[in-house]
Amino acid sequence: MSERSQTPIRVLVVDDEGEVRDAYRQILLEADVNRDLAVFHDLRTRLFRKTEIAPPPAQPGSRAATFDPVFCDGAETAVAAVKEALAMELPFAVVFLDMRMPPGPDGVWAAARIRELDPAIEIVICTAYSDVDPCEIGGIVPPEEKLSYLQKPFHPHEVRQMTIALASKWRAERTVVKLAYFDSLTGLPNREQSRNRLVSAIEAATLHERTLAVLYLDLDNFKRVNDTLGHAVGDELLRVVAARLRSSLRYSDSRSIDSSSIARPGDLARLGGDEFMVLLPNIRKPADAGVIAERIIGALREPMQLALNSLVVTPSVGIAIFPNDGADAETLLRNADLAMYFSKRKSPGTYSFFDAAMNASALQRFTIEDKLRGALQRNEFTLNYQPLFDIRTGHISGMEALLRWTNDQLGVVPPSEFISVAEETGLILPIGDWVLRSACAQAKAWHDEGLPLIRMSVNVSGRQFALSQFPSQVGAILQETGLDPSKLELEITETVIMNDEAWAEKAIDQLKALGVALAIDDFGTGYSSLARLRRFAVNRLKIDRSFVTSLNECSDDRAIASAIIAMSRSLRIDVTAEGVENISQLMFLQEHQCHEAQGYLLGAALPAADAEQLLRRVDAVLEGTRTQRLKALIG
Ligand code: C2E
Ligand code: MG
Ligand code: MG
């Protein structure tokens, strides 16, 4: 026999007549069916003799179904009993309700109240009269399929078997609900269930003009526990967290918060992973939610003994208040989540209230950070190659490797959105390493195929460049890929040099000793003067696109661009103009003897296969005038 069917069935018996209650008592407390039969005849006579009898003792050792009945003599006490059972988390499976209990309210009244309190309970209407129409009662106390009918006088077997059958139906339904709406690890409501609960709490708050709060919790160091101590310890930790959340919410701090603001067990949920939600359906003022958040953080911060480890876990908490921070469940949850992210970044283990400044762009920023982790392992990066043209000869002088990121959920993310995040988080170090290695390997492959690639340009972040081992890393990658160092040019920005001029000078010397060339990218945006850059032995300046864009209209920018070109020539530094988009810009640059140009007019960044095709075309059009060659390549 399964363990489940051995747990006693909780039954509520409601009848104003003591004799009838005794009859039930006989049936429900007598587990042995054979004995049931023996007492049956006796019972009938006693029923009509109207004398109280003591119930026979229960037989706990019996293998048959056992019952845990509660007896009430009126409708009101029955409603109170259901309430209490729910509060104790010991709900009744079945209630037998007498139809007429004068002078108090009748069975239909009780059924309606009970159904309101407990949508799952099986209700049995019992009556000696034939004027009761179950169909009519079903309309008053829906759903009809959870309503049964029993005619008095009943046979004990009827009551017993009906209880067992209805309880088994009730249990099966509970199991289904548990599977669909509860998290099996912690026993807490899951995301789906908590959403339903939040929706109805918002409806109630709207109706009664209440303030409601949603707390979004995320454990700060859960991943590390899982990774280092294993999933079994991780699971145990989540169970302990759930238990602590339960008890910290049950505790009522009547001095600062009124009792209606204390969450009920159903107002706590596990949203997935190490994320939990607490719903406070009725608070007096938003600050009360902060008090509860603090209490929760305090409760979780206590050290936990798991297996042989003593662990300290802190949660970061975000709070969104209804109606101020959102009118519906999705908005409130999203804003609470966003506030949680702010807590986590600002100082883990604290709480934050949502505020409007935590806007969509901030959310996008956090989402990028989240997805950027692991992007390298998931092979989400590729390199595109943009051709660099020698505009004096019309030949391709190089390719610039430009990083591309495609994520399953975010789609193609432009470098302008993720490079800065990668830099802030330090993720740029492994990513930059991958870029350099891939670009060198590609250049070497093209070279080996005999394609005319003179130079591969690779962007280097300030974070990479600042590492004392950066020059030796570059050397190692060159060795590993077998690329001739003279074919590699590294692009850094002026600010990177100016941040630490002493190191920049040393690093550039070391890189040049390897045979690698250096270019200053986005020149003109970093407030450094050419004179200051002189002592750094850079090979090239790349004039920022902002100057090139306004070459047609703005005479100041024309003057600046021509001055940069002229001065570089005198310092024997090559110049590349970035962002050349039209013929007149190209003509201006040619007139001023700018060496190189890069831009959409000449070619956008291409996937490796297309860049390779372009290099093959170059091979084929080596002959002809400069203009003919440029035309052939652009066309
Ligand atoms: P950048 O190094 O100055 O690269 C040139 C950027 O200008 C590229 O944008 C390129 O597609 C774009 N561009 C080229 N020609 C034109 C044009 O005619 N008009 C316009 N409007 N834009 C043009 P992209 O690929 O979006 O890269 C943006 C920036 O991201 C790069 O600027 C560079 O600073 C950074 N970046 C790209 N790849 C890497 C990388 O592998 N490592 C590092 N650290 N940064 C990278
Ligand atoms: Mg660049
Ligand atoms: Mg640039």
Side-chain angles (χ1 to χ4, degrees):
M1 178 165 288
S2 79
E3 195 191 320
R4 209 186 65 182
S5 56
Q6 277 176 335
T7 48
I9 299 167
R10 296 264 295 156
V11 191
L12 179 63
V13 173
V14 190
D15 203 299
D16 58 327
E17 285 185 69
E19 292 80 0
V20 181
R21 292 199 298 278
D22 285 338
Y24 280 107
R25 202 170 269 134
Q26 290 279 350
I27 301 161
L28 298 173
L29 293 175
E30 173 55 75
D32 188 323
V33 182
N34 294 328
R35 253 191 86 190
D36 270 350
L37 274 177
V39 291
F40 171 59
H41 302 287
D42 185 36
L43 188 65
R44 267 221 158 136
T45 30
R46 271 187 286 167
L47 234 172
F48 296 104
R49 250 197 298 129
K50 299 196 175 227
T51 45
E52 283 285 340
I53 38 153
Q59 298 190 350
S62 168
R63 278 164 47 85
T66 55
F67 306 95
D68 176 12
V70 170
F71 300 91
C72 292
D73 60 2
E76 276 145 343
T77 47
V79 173
V82 169
K83 230 183 239 174
E84 194 186 324
L86 288 171
M88 292 188 314
E89 294 181 38
L90 283 171
F92 291 110
V94 187
V95 53
F96 286 93
L97 256 182
D98 186 18
M99 198 56 205
R100 283 155 211 261
M101 297 178 279
D106 65 7
V108 177
W109 179 92
R113 301 296 166 296
I114 289 173
R115 172 60 73 234
E116 229 172 43
L117 288 168
D118 185 348
I121 195 168
E122 293 286 339
I123 299 178
V124 185
I125 299 286
C126 312
T127 179
Y129 303 87
S130 53
D131 58 344
V132 173
D133 181 356
C135 183
E136 202 178 297
I137 304 174
I140 305 169
V141 195
E144 230 180 327
E145 70 269 18
K146 296 186 84 56
L147 198 64
S148 307
Y149 180 79
L150 184 64
Q151 179 80 43
K152 284 188 197 170
F154 42 73
H155 189 288
H157 288 181
E158 267 180 301
V159 172
R160 185 177 185 279
Q161 296 312 120
M162 198 168 190
T163 309
I164 292 171
L166 288 177
S168 133
K169 173 172 172 257
W170 176 83
R171 277 176 173 157
E173 284 174 8
R174 263 168 77 90
T175 310
V176 170
V177 167
K178 264 210 138 69
L179 286 178
Y181 295 114
F182 289 84
D183 164 45
S184 56
L185 182 69
T186 59
L188 293 179
N190 63 12
R191 183 180 281 273
E192 175 69 22
Q193 167 79 336
S194 67
R195 198 196 155 275
N196 296 341
R197 170 74 187 113
L198 181 54
V199 167
S200 52
I202 289 173
E203 276 166 16
T206 311
L207 191 67
H208 303 291
E209 295 187 3
R210 288 178 189 152
T211 303
L212 168 158
V214 175
L215 275 60
Y216 204 113
L217 267 88
D218 184 288
L219 306 180
D220 296 324
N221 23 22
F222 181 68
K223 196 178 171 316
R224 218 180 49 227
V225 172
N226 235 357
D227 289 349
T228 54
L229 300 175
H231 287 258
V233 174
D235 284 356
E236 188 52 31
L237 185 146
L238 290 173
R239 274 192 287 264
V240 173
V241 166
R244 287 195 182 175
L245 284 174
R246 272 198 198 97
S247 61
S248 70
L249 290 172
R250 228 172 260 142
Y251 161 79
S252 156
D253 183 352
S254 53
R255 277 164 299 130
S256 59
I257 295 162
D258 82 60
S259 63
S260 60
S261 73
I262 302 303
R264 293 185 283 147
D267 293 333
L268 184 58
R270 180 174 173 219
L271 300 176
D274 60 346
E275 293 180 354
F276 296 85
M277 184 195 87
V278 176
L279 171 66
L280 304 172
N282 181 18
I283 51 171
R284 276 183 316 198
K285 52 183 191 310
D288 292 350
V291 174
I292 294 188
E294 215 153 79
R295 184 200 301 156
I296 289 173
I297 293 169
L300 293 190
R301 209 189 277 133
E302 290 296 311
M304 299 181 183
Q305 195 61 40
L306 296 179
L308 295 171
N309 314 281
S310 178
L311 299 175
V312 174
V313 167
T314 58
S316 294
V317 182
I319 305 171
I321 304 287
F322 170 86
N324 299 2
D325 302 335
D328 55 74
E330 279 69 33
T331 313
L332 279 176
L333 260 179
R334 197 182 54 237
N335 289 344
D337 186 7
L338 190 53
M340 182 277 291
Y341 260 109
F342 270 81
S343 293
K344 208 181 254 306
R345 285 200 51 86
K346 199 182 59 193
S347 52
T350 63
Y351 67 90
S352 304
F353 282 95
F354 171 78
D355 82 64
M358 300 170 180
N359 53 22
S361 70
L363 179 60
Q364 173 77 352
R365 157 94 185 54
F366 289 137
T367 315
I368 286 177
E369 179 180 334
D370 196 38
K371 300 277 179 280
L372 208 50
R373 294 182 197 284
L376 204 52
Q377 290 75 11
R378 293 190 299 268
N379 291 320
E380 294 177 351
F381 293 115
T382 50
L383 287 182
N384 274 5
Y385 300 90
Q386 186 174 30
L388 302 152
F389 283 90
D390 185 328
I391 51 178
R392 297 165 304 184
T393 62
H395 288 137
I396 287 189
S397 47
M399 291 278 186
E400 178 174 359
L402 292 163
L403 186 57
R404 294 292 174 264
W405 178 31
T406 311
N407 175 267
D408 265 0
Q409 279 152 47
L410 301 175
V412 178
V413 189
S416 54
E417 283 184 30
F418 75 84
I419 295 278
S420 58
V421 181
E423 286 180 333
E424 278 172 45
T425 53
L427 290 166
I428 195 70
L429 298 177
I431 295 173
D433 200 64
W434 177 87
V435 169
L436 187 60
R437 183 172 287 109
S438 311
C440 289
Q442 182 64 77
K444 168 77 172 141
W446 282 336
H447 174 264
D448 289 352
E449 285 188 41
L451 292 170
L453 181 73
I454 299 165
R455 183 176 100 232
M456 178 63 88
S457 297
V458 178
N459 293 286
V460 172
S461 141
R463 291 282 301 257
Q464 287 172 276
F465 187 79
L467 292 178
S468 59
Q469 68 271 29
F470 178 67
S472 59
Q473 280 174 353
V474 174
I477 288 176
L478 284 169
Q479 273 221 314
E480 191 185 306
T481 55
L483 181 69
D484 173 358
S486 68
K487 292 203 173 301
L488 178 64
E489 186 167 273
L490 300 177
E491 297 189 5
I492 47 176
T493 59
E494 310 156 59
T495 33
V496 168
I497 292 187
M498 296 307 156
N499 278 347
D500 184 349
E501 295 187 34
W503 165 244
E505 202 169 353
K506 220 166 123 186
I508 291 173
D509 281 349
Q510 291 180 22
L511 289 165
K512 294 202 77 172
L514 289 172
V516 172
L518 272 137
I520 305 283
D521 205 354
D522 307 338
F523 185 74
T525 56
Y527 309 105
S528 63
S529 66
L530 256 185
R532 275 183 80 185
L533 282 174
R534 243 175 111 167
R535 69 184 175 100
F536 302 99
V538 297
N539 304 74
R540 179 184 310 280
L541 294 182
K542 296 186 76 174
I543 305 178
D544 190 66
R545 182 159 59 88
S546 55
F547 296 103
V548 178
T549 305
S550 46
L551 277 183
N552 311 333
E553 328 68 81
C554 176
S555 59
D556 276 357
D557 282 346
R558 289 160 81 108
I560 293 172
S562 54
I564 295 174
I565 297 167
M567 281 176 71
S568 318
R569 224 186 6 251
S570 67
L571 294 169
R572 279 188 281 283
I573 297 176
D574 286 343
V575 182
T576 302
E578 297 184 318
V580 178
E581 292 182 349
N582 56 50
I583 294 282
S584 56
Q585 291 165 347
L586 180 64
M587 283 169 61
F588 175 93
L589 295 165
Q590 283 179 330
E591 265 168 43
H592 289 82
Q593 287 153 34
C594 177
H595 306 118
E596 250 186 28
Q598 171 182 15
Y600 294 165
L601 174 72
L602 302 159
L606 301 168
D610 298 342
E612 188 172 318
Q613 287 309 312
L614 181 64
L615 289 173
R616 290 191 197 286
R617 288 218 319 266
V618 175
D619 234 2
V621 291
L622 275 178
E623 298 307 313
T625 65
R626 172 181 80 176
T627 316
Q628 280 168 338
R629 274 195 298 275
L630 276 176
K631 268 195 182 150
L633 291 172
I634 297 167

